[in-house]
Amino acid sequence: MAEDHLFDRNSVVLECQIWQHALERREVRFSVAELKEFTRRRNYIRNDERPNEVTLREVLLREMEVVQTVKTGVGECYPLVWKSRLANPKLDEEHARHWMIDFIN
């Protein structure tokens, strides 16, 4: 259930997120050690540079399909706006300034 929930929304998750989700919603009693052993044995795809992050083969295949679909569709349609321009450059500067202030605070 934890995998279904997390991988439905994310392509890659932290393994500890799977543990957390499983522990919060567990219907059967199991220890943290049992849970860690279970995820260790799963066929997660891992990256040596980011060992705490995992994904599933099905998720990776879904991502590859999305990328391939985009690649084959590039240039197939005319753009909705041929040459965009800013309606009010002054307003955009103001929004950027406010965004930076909000971001810093």
mmCIF file of all heavy atoms in Angstrom, residues 1 3 13 20-21 27 42 53 63 65 69 79 94 96:
data_model
loop_
_atom_site.group_PDB
_atom_site.id
_atom_site.type_symbol
_atom_site.label_atom_id
_atom_site.label_comp_id
_atom_site.label_asym_id
_atom_site.label_seq_id
_atom_site.Cartn_x
_atom_site.Cartn_y
_atom_site.Cartn_z
ATOM 1 N N MET A 1 0.822 -1.190 0.000
ATOM 2 C CA MET A 1 0.000 0.000 0.000
ATOM 3 C C MET A 1 0.871 1.260 0.000
ATOM 4 O O MET A 1 0.572 2.225 -0.688
ATOM 5 C CB MET A 1 -0.907 -0.013 1.225
ATOM 6 C CG MET A 1 -1.863 1.137 1.264
ATOM 7 S SD MET A 1 -2.979 0.973 2.655
ATOM 8 C CE MET A 1 -3.079 2.642 3.167
ATOM 9 N N GLU A 3 3.897 1.614 -1.226
ATOM 10 C CA GLU A 3 4.470 1.786 -2.559
ATOM 11 C C GLU A 3 3.436 2.353 -3.520
ATOM 12 O O GLU A 3 3.729 3.279 -4.269
ATOM 13 C CB GLU A 3 4.984 0.450 -3.094
ATOM 14 C CG GLU A 3 6.271 0.007 -2.490
ATOM 15 C CD GLU A 3 6.736 -1.319 -3.064
ATOM 16 O OE1 GLU A 3 6.001 -1.937 -3.875
ATOM 17 O OE2 GLU A 3 7.828 -1.745 -2.701
ATOM 18 N N VAL A 13 11.423 7.899 -4.681
ATOM 19 C CA VAL A 13 11.118 8.246 -3.290
ATOM 20 C C VAL A 13 12.278 7.835 -2.398
ATOM 21 O O VAL A 13 13.091 6.992 -2.750
ATOM 22 C CB VAL A 13 9.818 7.571 -2.790
ATOM 23 C CG1 VAL A 13 8.632 8.004 -3.610
ATOM 24 C CG2 VAL A 13 9.945 6.071 -2.788
ATOM 25 N N GLN A 20 8.079 4.946 6.614
ATOM 26 C CA GLN A 20 7.169 5.806 7.379
ATOM 27 C C GLN A 20 5.719 5.549 6.991
ATOM 28 O O GLN A 20 4.859 5.367 7.853
ATOM 29 C CB GLN A 20 7.511 7.271 7.150
ATOM 30 C CG GLN A 20 6.589 8.233 7.877
ATOM 31 C CD GLN A 20 6.895 9.690 7.564
ATOM 32 O OE1 GLN A 20 7.748 9.999 6.736
ATOM 33 N NE2 GLN A 20 6.197 10.579 8.217
ATOM 34 N N HIS A 21 5.459 5.518 5.707
ATOM 35 C CA HIS A 21 4.085 5.318 5.237
ATOM 36 C C HIS A 21 3.567 3.941 5.662
ATOM 37 O O HIS A 21 2.420 3.812 6.087
ATOM 38 C CB HIS A 21 4.037 5.482 3.720
ATOM 39 C CG HIS A 21 2.667 5.666 3.184
ATOM 40 N ND1 HIS A 21 2.018 6.872 3.221
ATOM 41 C CD2 HIS A 21 1.806 4.795 2.625
ATOM 42 C CE1 HIS A 21 0.825 6.731 2.695
ATOM 43 N NE2 HIS A 21 0.669 5.478 2.322
ATOM 44 N N GLU A 27 -1.608 -2.596 8.896
ATOM 45 C CA GLU A 27 -2.753 -3.367 9.379
ATOM 46 C C GLU A 27 -2.282 -4.651 10.052
ATOM 47 O O GLU A 27 -3.011 -5.258 10.814
ATOM 48 C CB GLU A 27 -3.694 -3.675 8.212
ATOM 49 C CG GLU A 27 -4.298 -2.411 7.625
ATOM 50 C CD GLU A 27 -5.129 -2.689 6.385
ATOM 51 O OE1 GLU A 27 -5.348 -3.862 6.057
ATOM 52 O OE2 GLU A 27 -5.554 -1.716 5.737
ATOM 53 N N ARG A 42 13.429 -6.062 -1.777
ATOM 54 C CA ARG A 42 12.611 -5.680 -2.926
ATOM 55 C C ARG A 42 13.506 -5.374 -4.122
ATOM 56 O O ARG A 42 14.660 -5.006 -3.966
ATOM 57 C CB ARG A 42 11.777 -4.433 -2.609
ATOM 58 C CG ARG A 42 10.641 -4.671 -1.685
ATOM 59 C CD ARG A 42 9.467 -5.339 -2.341
ATOM 60 N NE ARG A 42 8.781 -4.400 -3.216
ATOM 61 C CZ ARG A 42 8.142 -4.772 -4.319
ATOM 62 N NH1 ARG A 42 8.107 -6.003 -4.688
ATOM 63 N NH2 ARG A 42 7.545 -3.871 -5.058
ATOM 64 N N GLU A 53 17.530 6.743 -2.273
ATOM 65 C CA GLU A 53 16.413 6.942 -3.184
ATOM 66 C C GLU A 53 16.155 5.657 -3.962
ATOM 67 O O GLU A 53 17.096 4.992 -4.397
ATOM 68 C CB GLU A 53 16.710 8.084 -4.151
ATOM 69 C CG GLU A 53 16.829 9.415 -3.458
ATOM 70 C CD GLU A 53 17.149 10.543 -4.419
ATOM 71 O OE1 GLU A 53 17.330 10.286 -5.629
ATOM 72 O OE2 GLU A 53 17.226 11.684 -3.965
ATOM 73 N N GLU A 63 7.949 6.266 -16.960
ATOM 74 C CA GLU A 63 8.656 7.524 -17.219
ATOM 75 C C GLU A 63 9.288 7.508 -18.609
ATOM 76 O O GLU A 63 9.236 8.505 -19.334
ATOM 77 C CB GLU A 63 9.746 7.746 -16.164
ATOM 78 C CG GLU A 63 9.226 8.075 -14.794
ATOM 79 C CD GLU A 63 8.661 9.473 -14.713
ATOM 80 O OE1 GLU A 63 9.287 10.417 -15.238
ATOM 81 O OE2 GLU A 63 7.589 9.631 -14.117
ATOM 82 N N GLU A 65 8.273 5.862 -21.174
ATOM 83 C CA GLU A 65 7.188 5.962 -22.147
ATOM 84 C C GLU A 65 6.743 7.418 -22.304
ATOM 85 O O GLU A 65 6.498 7.883 -23.425
ATOM 86 C CB GLU A 65 6.010 5.102 -21.699
ATOM 87 C CG GLU A 65 4.868 5.080 -22.669
ATOM 88 C CD GLU A 65 3.712 4.213 -22.180
ATOM 89 O OE1 GLU A 65 3.904 3.357 -21.305
ATOM 90 O OE2 GLU A 65 2.592 4.415 -22.697
ATOM 91 N N THR A 69 7.042 9.544 -25.733
ATOM 92 C CA THR A 69 5.851 10.170 -26.312
ATOM 93 C C THR A 69 6.110 11.640 -26.607
ATOM 94 O O THR A 69 5.740 12.147 -27.674
ATOM 95 C CB THR A 69 4.650 10.029 -25.352
ATOM 96 O OG1 THR A 69 4.403 8.641 -25.126
ATOM 97 C CG2 THR A 69 3.413 10.692 -25.902
ATOM 98 N N PRO A 79 2.605 26.131 -32.585
ATOM 99 C CA PRO A 79 2.481 26.768 -31.270
ATOM 100 C C PRO A 79 1.218 27.624 -31.199
ATOM 101 O O PRO A 79 0.766 28.165 -32.208
ATOM 102 C CB PRO A 79 3.745 27.634 -31.167
ATOM 103 C CG PRO A 79 4.260 27.771 -32.546
ATOM 104 C CD PRO A 79 3.747 26.604 -33.343
ATOM 105 N N GLU A 94 7.888 43.925 -10.906
ATOM 106 C CA GLU A 94 7.300 44.075 -9.574
ATOM 107 C C GLU A 94 6.972 42.710 -8.975
ATOM 108 O O GLU A 94 7.260 42.444 -7.811
ATOM 109 C CB GLU A 94 6.036 44.927 -9.671
ATOM 110 C CG GLU A 94 5.389 45.217 -8.331
ATOM 111 C CD GLU A 94 4.151 46.090 -8.478
ATOM 112 O OE1 GLU A 94 4.096 46.888 -9.443
ATOM 113 O OE2 GLU A 94 3.253 45.952 -7.635
ATOM 114 N N ALA A 96 8.404 39.906 -9.707
ATOM 115 C CA ALA A 96 9.680 39.248 -9.392
ATOM 116 C C ALA A 96 10.253 39.788 -8.084
ATOM 117 O O ALA A 96 10.748 39.032 -7.260
ATOM 118 C CB ALA A 96 10.668 39.453 -10.531
#
